[in-house]
Amino acid sequence: MRLLVSWLQLLLIAPSLLVAAASDYHEQLTLRPLPFSSVLASFHFRSNTSLTDFESQNFRLFPRSLGQILQHAGTRELHLRFTLGRWDAENWGARPWEGTREGGTGVEMWAWLDASTDEEADQKWLTLTNALSGLFCASLNFIDETRTIRPVKSFQPEGHHSAETLANTRLLHGVLPHEVVCTENLTPFIKMLPCKGKAGIGSLLDGHKLFDASFQSMAIDVRPVCPPGEDCFLEVEETIDMVLDINRSKRPQGNSIPRPVPPQDLVCDQSKPYHSDKTCFPIDHLGSPDWNLAQVFGRPMKGTCPLADPEVPPVCIQVPGSRDVFSTEGSQEKQGADGQSRCYLLDPNNDFTLALTNLRSDDKATEEIVKPEAPLLYADRSFTGYGQEHGGVQAILTNPSDEEVEFVYLESLPWFMRIYLHTLSTHVSTSTATSTNSSTPNSDIIKEVYYRPALDRARGTQLELVLRIPARHTVFLTYDFEKAILRYTEYPPDANRGFDVAAAVITILSPRGMNLRTTSLLLYLPTPDFSMPYNVIIFTSTAIALAFGGLYNILVRRFVGADEGPPSPIKAKLAQLKAKFMRKPAATVQQPTEAKK
Amino acid sequence: MSRLLSTALSLRRDPRVLKLPPYLSFLCVLIGLVWLLLLPLDNYCRKNYISENALLPGQVHTYFGGSEHHVLRAYRNEVEALVDQDNHQINDKLEEILRGFGVKVGRQSYTYHAAGHEYSGENLYGILQAPRGDATEAIVLVAAWKSIKGELNHNGVSLALSLARYFKRWSLWSKDIIIVFPPDSHTGTQAWVDAYHDAHDPKHVAPLPLKSGALQGALAIDYPLNHRFQSMHIIYDAANGQLPNLDLINAVVNIAGGQMGIQSFIQGMRQHKGTYRDRLRTMFRGMLSQGLGTAAGPHSSFIPYHVDAVTLQPYGTGFHDEMAMGRVVEGSFRSLNNLLEHLHQSFFFYLLIQKDRFVSIGTYLPSAMLLAANFSIMAIFLWVKSGQSPQSTSEDRGTKAGKASSEKEIGSSLSSGAAERGFIFPLGLVIVCHALSAIPLYTFNHLPAELLPTAFAAFWALSSALPFVICYGIGPLYKPTQQHAHLTKAFSLLILGMALSTLATLNFSLSFIIGLLAAPLSFVKSTKSQVLNFSISALLNLISPPAIIFAAASVYGAEVGEVLREASFGWHIWGMYTPVVVWAVWWPAWTIGMVNTLGLAGE
């Protein structure tokens, strides 16, 4: 009997499962403690809708606001990134999602648009950026043609497209390095989630904590997916990665000033000979502190999202098996798929929290964290040179692994940074000893160059290089540029701050696909003293007044001979006066002469 | 307008005008000097103000205190334990401490050579990445291991370490904070800043392994005292008389005085009552250090790269402790952190006469310009004079009556009064004298320090003998005339005037000092009496460049060798150009002046 009931239940659920397959929702939070008391929190939300539903505007879990924009702008595939801070690869290792879910500092987006010509693509791109700008409260509408490029090598469509649709699509890529990502961008992001921030892992997203993170990246990816033998559907993935500093996040909201701790709370190295109650060598930075979910995110997790797939555990944590993790009662621990993580199935109606305890400092045997995986490539880019006329860029690309790495290096530079491609050069040194420099010819490192030069005020420079770095080698990629002088109305109000240059995008092709980005740069251009126009106006006015006065005088004057003209009235007056003065003394003193006359 | 021109044109033939220039020239020198002396008066200087609103100095609470003091004591113990160790061992320990609280650390070694000495060391620096920043901007805190005077900067280093640990906890930094520990205050920062901007010579200075964004400002702590301090000395001079933005100095003075109650002073004027005398002394001290062009502290190396920087040096015995100093740094860093743009408002050219009063460039520049103009006026006067044949003056008087008539007549009278000018000898002489300046410039910058006093004495003797050689040895071979003497002097003064007026915009003080010392050169000329000539040349010898250097060195109780070693050091490491001005501008002018006094024409 019981068996029958369960069979019946299964039969009843089956159709609803089928519906869910066409339009389902999945969310998961992965926590990974990192060195130096940081923790990486990766939020992943995925929902999809069948293409037929999408075309008939039948939105269920797919956000309608976004869907309508995509339809209107003819977008096949969209990738949008909001990033703040930088990923510290040296300490934190490889990036989450292999770096595919992050952008350069600021806002970055790229999309495949339905367009048969470049003009049409530009038009649709303009529509798309303006619409998204409104939706996400970001200045995406400032992605104009000077900040838009058409990458050739770096980006490949992630979704499934048929060959004929791909032939009729154009890839455009735009970046706004100066855009400061903040809460106004998070709110529309959360609004697109089926459970908003009310339940499930979305309830942990708090602007105060997210934007206090050492690194955070919000990503939206929309792509069509066609599983073999099934109908195609459109998938939207929202990802938020953040690296929280535990000590900073644990501070209570009302008292977030990091005042010095009371002396008795200092953790001191008591083995120091000078240790006393007034002298303390701090060792509180060693070891990861104890924390719990509610503390670091400022609130506990509010149950699960009822729309989410109940089979997928919403919270996972990656810590070594030897470390104790405590979770709220009612939750169920499960071994994660990769063996290193522990996942939790929760009670859908209760608050959930997770706690990690502090390790005792004498307990050296226990591993605190899962050792971060080393990245395939380290990239560091900086400006060289000084002064207002020329400059240079140096990218230091280090391959720490034992395999050769091949990748595409993409630079999208503003037009006022005029690069000299002939100065593009590489030099190689082994990672271990930088002194033994060997100058390998460019051709051994740079395999391919795709260069689209800038046009003043019309488009920026696009430079794509396919590079190959041998194992354990460092490549110094350098090129020089000239700084253009802008018209004085082209300067922004904070001209003396400099101009942001977008991050370089590195797409690793082999041994496996991976992405990373350098930090953005601040470029100083020759900046005029903006009080100068007033000085110039005053100067030129004076000069013109003087010159014009003289010239006008000569032009309108009628020249006549000195004897022809009428006697000058002033001269006559002067003569009269003179005569008067002359007469007086003459009358008194020179009486005799007059008499003589 | 046209009438004005014609009046001016007619005036130029007036013999009274031709007599005027020497007096005018003298008047320029006099006004220039008086002008400078007037500057400290209330009417000619202004009160300091913060021009960059973003700085908001002293508007934040500073929290560096409490248990941080315990940490500071511990770090000071660590630092004091390293006293006898070498540069690398010290850096190993500092690196360990910095890495302990998660700061990225880099090292850079360098070797400089100057005056036969080798200056080498290793810089250690840590980058405290702004929690939410993107490595586009950075501010720098410098704590040299050895203070400016060469003492152990133990409080400075331990303060920098504890501040780094303290700053790490704040999430409000918008710029990276770089903490640099150079081994000394004179060479280390120069190597570091050069390498940061890739302007270093890779043969001597290693590149930096780690970098951040564009530097926005720097503070250096020079704190070797062992006791509580009374006041704070703000050192702001950089090499070649460059200055940091006035806003930075104002902000630090404001934070120290207004918020922390620490009195600050500048240019070593500890007792400044705000009187005319004190102001004048402060200004003269400032001008002297600007004129010498030496780097005053570890902050100096930043300024040529348009990174504003000052050194803070606690002074005296009082009641302020290290934590107060730490809070001054914290407050200043919070102000710099507020900057949205690079410091650009306020002034880059100023003379400070008190910690809160300054003279702006528009007010002080005319004095140096007038001094420089005096040479140009005399040069033009001599040029005109050299163009007149001896009899032309009488002809001039004859044509005076007909001056108002047509242009043609003036033209003809001009040609009749003009004499052909012989250029080759005067130009050659001036060029040779200037070319000879390469000798002292090269010798003093390349000899080892031990040989410098001997070389100086030898050069002094040679320099004194040179005018006699020219006048009595070489001169007569070319049979120079009075006109040649005029032209030689005209060219020499023209170069001097041009060089000094250009220099006045770059380094006002140096231009003013040289202008003043060279002023007599525009008035000396040979007379009929040989005795008078010799006595004037003897007096001129008193103001010869070597004599002045010797006198200045003895007044300050330094050896000449030491001064020259310092100059050579500055030339090689800081790129100090004072030797060029002294040997290639002033010394040739003085030599020509001597030649003219002794009588080139041999009358």
Side-chain angles (χ1 to χ4, degrees):
Chain A
M1 186 62 199
R2 197 180 283 169
L3 200 74
L4 188 73
V5 171
S6 62
W7 269 110
L8 266 172
Q9 266 179 347
L10 201 70
L11 277 175
L12 282 170
I13 293 167
S16 63
L17 273 177
L18 279 175
V19 172
S23 156
D24 70 351
Y25 174 64
H26 154 112
E27 62 174 32
Q28 191 168 45
L29 164 67
T30 311
L31 295 161
R32 195 170 91 203
L34 295 171
F36 291 106
S37 58
S38 302
V39 60
L40 166 71
S42 295
F43 291 79
H44 182 229
F45 309 92
R46 192 183 65 211
S47 52
N48 50 26
T49 182
S50 67
L51 272 183
T52 43
D53 276 356
F54 179 72
E55 268 147 28
S56 56
Q57 303 232 3
N58 183 11
F59 298 104
R60 201 168 153 261
L61 294 168
F62 194 95
R64 173 185 292 271
S65 50
L66 186 64
Q68 287 181 336
I69 289 172
L70 296 183
Q71 279 177 352
H72 183 62
T75 312
R76 285 277 157 193
E77 191 173 322
L78 170 76
H79 302 273
L80 181 62
R81 304 280 185 269
F82 297 89
T83 311
L84 195 64
R86 70 198 115 164
W87 180 263
D88 182 357
E90 203 182 309
N91 287 325
W92 302 340
R95 286 149 200 260
W97 313 102
E98 302 282 0
T100 50
R101 301 289 157 78
E102 68 179 74
T105 304
V107 182
E108 188 177 333
M109 72 179 274
W110 63 100
W112 277 265
L113 301 168
D114 270 332
S116 43
T117 61
D118 282 352
E119 287 71 35
E120 196 188 344
D122 284 339
Q123 200 53 48
K124 286 193 166 164
W125 178 249
L126 194 70
T127 314
L128 182 68
T129 51
N130 278 286
L132 288 176
S133 162
L135 184 60
F136 288 102
C137 303
S139 320
L140 285 166
N141 51 325
F142 282 97
I143 299 183
D144 52 10
E145 61 270 35
T146 63
R147 291 168 211 247
T148 304
I149 53 166
R150 293 148 193 274
V152 176
K153 288 266 169 200
S154 297
F155 297 99
Q156 298 305 326
E158 289 176 14
H160 303 123
H161 302 276
S162 60
E164 68 262 31
T165 39
L166 259 192
N168 266 330
T169 55
R170 293 283 188 282
L171 165 65
L172 284 99
H173 175 270
V175 57
L176 273 183
H178 188 29
E179 182 76 6
V180 182
V181 183
C182 203
T183 35
E184 75 267 20
N185 308 120
L186 177 68
T187 312
F189 198 91
I190 294 178
K191 269 171 91 174
M192 297 203 317
L193 302 174
C195 288
K196 311 278 188 273
K198 306 280 187 225
I201 60 170
S203 63
L204 289 174
L205 289 172
D206 173 20
H208 289 100
K209 299 293 176 188
L210 177 62
F211 296 106
D212 195 30
S214 303
F215 167 82
Q216 61 99 351
S217 175
M218 304 195 288
I220 291 183
D221 296 277
V222 184
R223 60 174 97 81
V225 179
C226 300
E230 286 177 49
D231 283 346
C232 291
F233 57 87
L234 200 64
E235 184 178 83
V236 58
E237 269 190 288
E238 292 184 57
T239 321
I240 297 184
D241 293 303
M242 53 175 152
V243 178
L244 291 164
D245 183 303
I246 295 172
N247 289 319
R248 210 158 63 213
S249 297
K250 269 169 71 182
R251 273 177 222 140
Q253 197 107 133
N255 181 22
S256 52
I257 296 169
R259 290 188 176 84
V261 294
Q264 61 272 17
D265 292 355
L266 270 180
V267 187
C268 305
D269 182 355
Q270 302 194 351
S271 64
K272 294 278 178 189
Y274 50 76
H275 176 77
S276 73
D277 55 350
K278 283 201 169 266
T279 314
C280 168
F281 188 87
I283 47 167
D284 49 357
H285 285 276
L286 302 172
S288 46
D290 55 332
W291 55 273
N292 65 51
L293 213 57
Q295 260 179 339
V296 266
F297 288 100
R299 48 175 94 152
M301 192 174 145
K302 294 194 181 65
T304 55
C305 176
L307 296 168
D309 184 354
E311 292 298 312
V312 179
V315 181
C316 288
I317 183 162
Q318 292 179 355
V319 283
S322 53
R323 229 183 141 176
D324 294 332
V325 181
F326 302 97
S327 60
T328 319
E329 224 176 308
S331 60
Q332 205 184 328
E333 191 178 310
K334 253 176 81 175
Q335 190 68 24
D338 52 353
Q340 287 234 288
S341 61
R342 280 175 250 181
C343 295
Y344 295 88
L345 285 168
L346 352 165
D347 179 1
N349 301 318
N350 279 337
D351 283 2
F352 172 76
T353 188
L354 202 69
L356 253 83
T357 48
N358 193 0
L359 282 184
R360 288 187 310 277
S361 51
D362 53 324
D363 189 7
K364 300 275 183 207
T366 321
E367 265 184 287
E368 283 176 34
I369 50 166
V370 178
K371 206 171 152 30
E373 187 192 352
L376 284 175
L377 194 73
Y378 292 108
D380 182 31
R381 186 181 63 158
S382 59
F383 277 132
T384 60
Y386 59 96
Q388 309 217 301
E389 204 186 348
H390 298 285
V393 173
Q394 183 185 49
I396 305 172
L397 305 157
T398 309
N399 176 6
S401 65
D402 293 321
E403 299 170 86
E404 192 178 66
V405 170
E406 188 175 315
F407 60 93
V408 186
Y409 179 88
L410 165 73
E411 289 259 36
S412 165
L413 304 170
W415 65 266
F416 40 78
M417 195 173 150
R418 296 181 179 140
I419 75 163
Y420 296 133
L421 200 63
H422 74 275
T423 59
L424 182 78
S425 66
T426 54
H427 94 250
V428 187
S429 72
T430 52
S431 314
T432 43
T434 41
S435 52
T436 55
N437 285 352
S438 59
S439 53
T440 320
N442 271 356
S443 58
D444 281 9
I445 301 296
I446 302 178
K447 294 290 167 197
E448 275 177 65
V449 179
Y450 180 85
Y451 174 57
R452 189 159 173 258
L455 293 177
D456 278 6
R457 299 178 178 82
R459 70 172 193 221
T461 306
Q462 175 185 342
L463 178 65
E464 274 182 284
L465 306 170
V466 180
L467 296 151
R468 185 175 291 169
I469 304 184
R472 306 216 163 272
H473 274 71
T474 301
V475 167
F476 294 81
L477 180 76
T478 54
Y479 59 86
D480 294 343
F481 63 87
E482 186 189 72
K483 298 175 182 182
I485 295 176
L486 302 188
R487 295 181 187 139
Y488 90 105
T489 48
E490 286 171 337
Y491 287 94
D494 56 349
N496 280 287
R497 179 177 178 273
F499 293 77
D500 290 86
V501 175
V505 182
I506 295 167
T507 314
I508 299 176
L509 305 172
S510 79
R512 61 177 193 276
M514 233 176 132
N515 263 328
L516 66 145
R517 279 165 175 82
T518 63
T519 53
S520 53
L521 295 170
L522 198 60
L523 171 73
Y524 282 125
L525 289 187
T527 312
D529 172 3
F530 288 98
S531 63
M532 214 59 189
Y534 303 100
N535 301 342
V536 171
I537 290 168
I538 291 165
F539 248 81
T540 43
S541 307
T542 314
I544 286 174
L546 279 173
F548 175 77
L551 201 68
Y552 182 74
N553 194 352
I554 291 167
L555 280 176
V556 300
R557 173 160 298 183
R558 194 156 56 87
F559 287 96
V560 290
D563 47 342
E564 288 170 36
S568 156
I570 301 168
K571 260 191 186 160
K573 282 264 167 65
L574 272 175
Q576 266 179 16
L577 267 175
K578 214 173 179 181
K580 242 181 208 170
F581 277 108
M582 294 302 273
R583 203 180 299 144
K584 261 187 191 164
T588 49
V589 186
Q590 293 191 332
Q591 200 86 43
T593 24
E594 209 171 44
K596 216 191 253 173
K597 251 183 183 172
Chain B
M1 184 77 189
S2 48
R3 201 166 291 180
L4 212 78
L5 269 174
S6 63
T7 328
L9 279 172
S10 62
L11 257 176
R12 87 192 165 134
R13 304 299 302 168
D14 196 317
R16 282 171 302 184
V17 172
L18 290 177
K19 280 212 178 112
L20 207 58
Y23 300 103
L24 194 64
S25 196
F26 183 69
L27 207 63
C28 279
V29 177
L30 209 64
I31 295 174
L33 200 59
V34 172
W35 192 298
L36 191 78
L37 296 177
L38 288 178
L39 293 178
L41 294 177
D42 272 346
N43 291 333
Y44 301 95
C45 59
R46 283 196 267 166
K47 225 173 140 35
N48 282 356
Y49 58 96
I50 303 278
S51 188
E52 173 63 85
N53 290 321
L55 274 175
L56 297 171
Q59 300 288 304
V60 290
H61 276 290
T62 48
Y63 294 94
F64 186 68
S67 64
E68 297 296 328
H69 205 163
H70 299 208
V71 177
L72 175 73
R73 285 194 202 100
Y75 286 151
R76 193 165 51 211
N77 274 308
E78 292 287 333
V79 167
E80 276 162 3
L82 296 171
V83 173
D84 301 320
Q85 311 213 356
D86 74 6
N87 194 199
H88 293 275
Q89 287 167 315
I90 291 168
N91 283 351
D92 286 343
K93 183 68 198 170
L94 294 181
E95 178 171 354
E96 183 197 319
I97 296 176
L98 285 173
R99 280 201 193 277
F101 45 82
V103 172
K104 297 203 176 313
V105 180
R107 287 180 179 215
Q108 175 213 22
S109 54
Y110 62 89
T111 312
Y112 284 118
H113 298 273
H117 281 275
E118 190 185 278
Y119 301 88
S120 62
E122 190 191 48
N123 287 321
L124 176 86
Y125 66 102
I127 298 182
L128 208 154
Q129 294 188 336
R132 291 173 293 162
D134 53 353
T136 49
E137 292 168 293
I139 36 186
V140 186
L141 180 65
V142 181
W145 187 257
K146 288 221 172 75
S147 75
I148 296 172
K149 291 195 182 115
E151 300 150 301
L152 174 69
N153 186 16
H154 60 270
N155 263 329
V157 173
S158 41
L159 199 55
L161 285 172
S162 33
L163 278 171
R165 180 180 172 277
Y166 169 75
F167 286 162
K168 184 93 171 83
R169 294 210 298 270
W170 287 88
S171 59
L172 50 77
W173 302 115
S174 65
K175 300 162 173 55
D176 286 359
I177 294 172
I178 307 180
I179 296 149
V180 187
F181 298 98
D184 71 4
S185 291
H186 304 287
T187 52
T189 36
Q190 186 68 43
W192 189 84
V193 182
D194 283 347
Y196 198 91
H197 295 92
D198 282 271
H200 60 288
D201 178 358
K203 283 199 290 267
H204 304 301
V205 177
L208 299 184
L210 274 178
K211 268 197 210 178
S212 177
L215 304 182
Q216 302 289 316
L219 280 186
I221 314 177
D222 189 77
Y223 191 177
L225 301 183
N226 271 317
H227 45 77
R228 289 168 175 249
F229 66 94
Q230 182 198 17
S231 51
M232 198 173 70
H233 187 194
I234 298 174
I235 307 172
Y236 56 90
D237 294 294
N240 294 326
Q242 287 178 302
L243 300 169
N245 193 294
L246 190 56
D247 267 344
L248 181 66
I249 298 173
N250 290 344
V252 174
V253 168
N254 203 315
I255 289 163
Q259 198 176 17
M260 303 302 307
I262 301 173
Q263 286 309 307
S264 42
F265 61 93
I266 49 166
Q267 299 297 351
M269 289 291 290
R270 296 180 293 278
Q271 301 295 323
H272 198 303
K273 295 190 186 72
T275 56
Y276 176 81
R277 246 179 95 88
D278 284 347
R279 286 179 177 181
L280 199 66
R281 281 185 64 191
T282 315
M283 187 175 81
F284 281 160
R285 282 175 179 226
M287 282 179 65
L288 199 67
S289 71
Q290 196 182 19
L292 288 176
T294 52
H299 69 281
S300 302
S301 316
F302 288 91
I303 294 170
Y305 293 99
H306 203 345
V307 179
D308 302 296
V310 289
T311 297
L312 307 180
Q313 192 178 42
Y315 176 84
T317 311
F319 57 87
H320 299 292
D321 63 357
E322 313 90 305
M323 301 315 276
M325 184 66 196
R327 282 199 288 277
V328 171
V329 177
E330 185 193 352
S332 314
F333 266 49
R334 290 287 297 275
S335 280
L336 285 173
N337 184 52
N338 284 344
L339 281 180
L340 299 173
E341 299 178 65
H342 204 90
L343 278 172
H344 68 282
Q345 302 254 13
S346 206
F347 293 87
F348 285 98
F349 298 96
Y350 50 84
L351 287 175
L352 279 179
I353 53 169
Q354 206 174 318
K355 69 174 187 208
D356 53 2
R357 286 194 90 85
F358 76 104
V359 186
S360 83
I361 183 166
T363 319
Y364 70 69
L365 194 64
S367 65
M369 284 298 183
L370 281 170
L371 278 186
N374 124 59
F375 301 113
S376 303
I377 292 171
M378 281 307 281
I380 296 165
F381 164 66
L382 287 167
W383 169 262
V384 173
K385 209 169 165 186
S386 71
Q388 291 166 338
S389 50
Q391 70 275 18
S392 69
T393 33
S394 57
E395 248 175 65
D396 248 13
R397 245 167 236 144
T399 51
K400 194 188 160 194
K403 204 178 338 167
S405 57
S406 76
E407 283 277 318
K408 254 186 202 162
E409 271 185 56
I410 292 173
S412 62
S413 77
L414 246 175
S415 57
S416 69
E420 236 6 81
R421 290 182 180 98
F423 281 122
I424 297 174
F425 178 71
L427 261 184
L429 186 59
V430 172
I431 288 170
V432 165
C433 278
H434 276 270
L436 282 179
S437 66
I439 297 172
L441 204 57
Y442 185 84
T443 328
F444 293 140
N445 285 328
H446 287 87
L447 280 186
E450 301 78 49
L451 292 178
L452 281 175
T454 331
F456 182 76
F459 175 73
W460 195 352
L462 275 177
S463 145
S464 311
L466 185 66
F468 292 91
V469 174
I470 294 172
C471 281
Y472 303 111
I474 302 161
L477 302 179
Y478 295 91
K479 300 193 177 53
T481 61
Q482 189 64 38
Q483 189 206 41
H484 284 145
H486 284 323
L487 277 177
T488 316
K489 197 175 165 190
F491 289 139
S492 164
L493 291 182
L494 194 67
I495 293 173
L496 190 62
M498 281 196 316
L500 289 184
S501 51
T502 315
L503 185 65
T505 58
L506 298 172
N507 188 345
F508 163 80
S509 307
L510 182 59
S511 163
F512 187 88
I513 294 168
I514 301 282
L516 203 61
L517 290 170
L521 299 180
S522 36
F523 307 108
V524 291
K525 59 176 184 182
S526 69
T527 54
K528 293 258 158 47
S529 148
Q530 199 66 286
V531 182
L532 197 58
N533 284 353
F534 277 119
S535 44
I536 292 176
S537 67
L539 282 177
L540 260 191
N541 254 312
L542 289 180
I543 56 155
S544 74
I548 296 282
I549 291 172
F550 183 77
S554 14
V555 165
Y556 280 88
E559 293 275 318
V560 172
E562 187 57 28
V563 172
L564 290 172
R565 193 196 58 77
E566 190 72 14
S568 170
F569 180 84
W571 168 266
H572 287 285
I573 289 153
W574 301 323
M576 183 173 96
Y577 59 64
T578 316
V580 179
V581 178
V582 171
W583 301 123
V585 176
W586 182 21
W587 180 76
W590 176 84
T591 310
I592 303 272
M594 275 292 284
V595 168
N596 268 305
T597 317
L598 289 171
L600 186 67
E603 280 170 84

